[in-house]
Amino acid sequence: MPKLVANDIATMLKKRISSGEWLEDGRMPPERDLAAEFGVARNTVRRAVGFLEDDGTVVRHVGRGTFLTATNPTSIASMVARMEGTSPADMMEIRQLLEPAAAAFAATNASATELNAVREAHQTACDAMEMPEFEHWDAEFHHRVFACCRNDFLKEIHNLMRAIRNQSPWFEMKKRSFSEERRQVYCREHQAILEALLHRDPEGAKTAMLGHLKTVEKNLLGR
């Protein structure tokens, strides 16, 4: 239980750091002050700060205190850190903006080899019976569609989105929403996307991808 509490405190501290708190001098309050604020023992705060040190958010100097490693809120590292708490609803909105456009680009720009890679991911996902394996190849299908765009910046944006969606809370949400019936629906929708890509139909690929993401949103968020 103490470890769980420490994780919670680490998450709250990271959000406060990302919002710009303690930015002026780049230094966090002493552990005893944070322990009093959170109503926990100092060793729990020490463990929480240790998590932040492990991921590079802060650095501790014995006798001097704990300092932020990224003091510029406009730095790429700071912006990425703030994205870690992205809500599922916000993520689905962004996916519905980006992925249909990526599918349209893919229909126009993909090589035959790249399309075969998309087909392979689709087939492997459809053959997967267990949720973790299906989830891996489902994500790989979308990743390979982005790779077909021939746009490195767009592909890296998707890599960032994928990293966020691979965090534990996301996986648990997807696990709860998973069923054999939904797996079959996703496979049919992926097939429609793939067929549009193979026919070099940008508008069809865009429409099929948006329809698929609407289904995912409904299953994940109930709307």
Side-chain angles (χ1 to χ4, degrees):
M1 186 63 181
K3 184 177 181 181
L4 179 61
V5 172
N7 274 325
D8 291 339
I9 292 174
T11 299
M12 288 185 280
L13 290 174
K14 182 175 283 192
K15 287 182 178 179
R16 290 167 67 176
I17 291 169
S18 297
S19 72
E21 192 168 350
W22 309 312
L23 180 64
E24 189 171 341
D25 60 4
R27 182 176 181 174
M28 289 180 61
E31 289 176 358
R32 63 176 178 276
D33 293 353
L34 291 173
E37 179 183 344
F38 287 110
V40 297
R42 284 183 64 176
N43 66 341
T44 301
V45 170
R46 188 173 298 119
R47 191 178 300 114
V49 175
F51 293 150
L52 300 186
E53 187 173 33
D54 289 343
D55 70 14
T57 301
V58 301
V59 60
R60 287 189 279 199
H61 296 290
V62 178
R64 294 177 53 205
T66 303
F67 296 84
L68 314 186
T69 56
T71 57
N72 181 0
T74 63
S75 71
I76 291 176
S78 295
M79 288 187 281
V80 169
R82 290 194 293 274
M83 290 179 190
E84 288 187 31
T86 298
S87 72
D90 285 351
M91 176 63 76
M92 288 309 307
E93 285 183 359
I94 293 301
R95 290 189 69 187
Q96 288 173 45
L97 284 173
L98 291 182
E99 293 198 42
F105 279 133
T108 301
N109 298 334
S111 68
T113 300
E114 288 168 331
L115 290 177
N116 281 334
V118 176
R119 191 204 313 264
E120 178 190 40
H122 167 59
Q123 189 57 57
T124 308
C126 291
D127 291 340
M129 293 292 107
E130 299 298 325
M131 183 270 177
E133 184 183 6
F134 172 79
E135 174 58 31
H136 169 79
W137 285 104
D138 173 87
E140 187 64 20
F141 174 86
H142 288 267
H143 175 70
R144 293 183 185 187
V145 170
F146 270 88
C148 289
C149 294
R150 304 289 184 88
N151 184 309
D152 288 341
F153 183 66
L154 186 57
K155 185 169 69 174
E156 291 306 323
I157 290 175
H158 178 254
N159 284 335
L160 176 59
M161 293 165 57
R162 187 179 185 182
I164 293 171
R165 289 166 51 226
N166 280 340
Q167 293 176 317
S168 179
W170 279 90
F171 184 82
E172 291 302 317
M173 178 182 294
K174 288 182 283 189
K175 186 176 180 180
R176 288 194 300 270
S177 72
F178 181 79
S179 69
E180 174 58 22
E181 180 182 358
R182 287 176 176 175
R183 185 188 72 84
Q184 293 180 15
V185 170
Y186 291 163
C187 286
R188 288 196 296 271
E189 292 177 344
H190 281 184
Q191 180 66 36
I193 297 166
L194 177 61
E195 289 177 359
L197 295 177
L198 293 173
H199 285 92
R200 302 291 184 176
D201 178 4
E203 198 59 39
K206 180 179 180 179
T207 300
M209 181 65 81
L210 181 58
H212 171 56
L213 293 173
K214 289 290 187 183
T215 300
V216 174
E217 179 182 49
K218 181 180 178 181
N219 290 338
L220 281 179
L221 306 179
R223 66 184 195 185

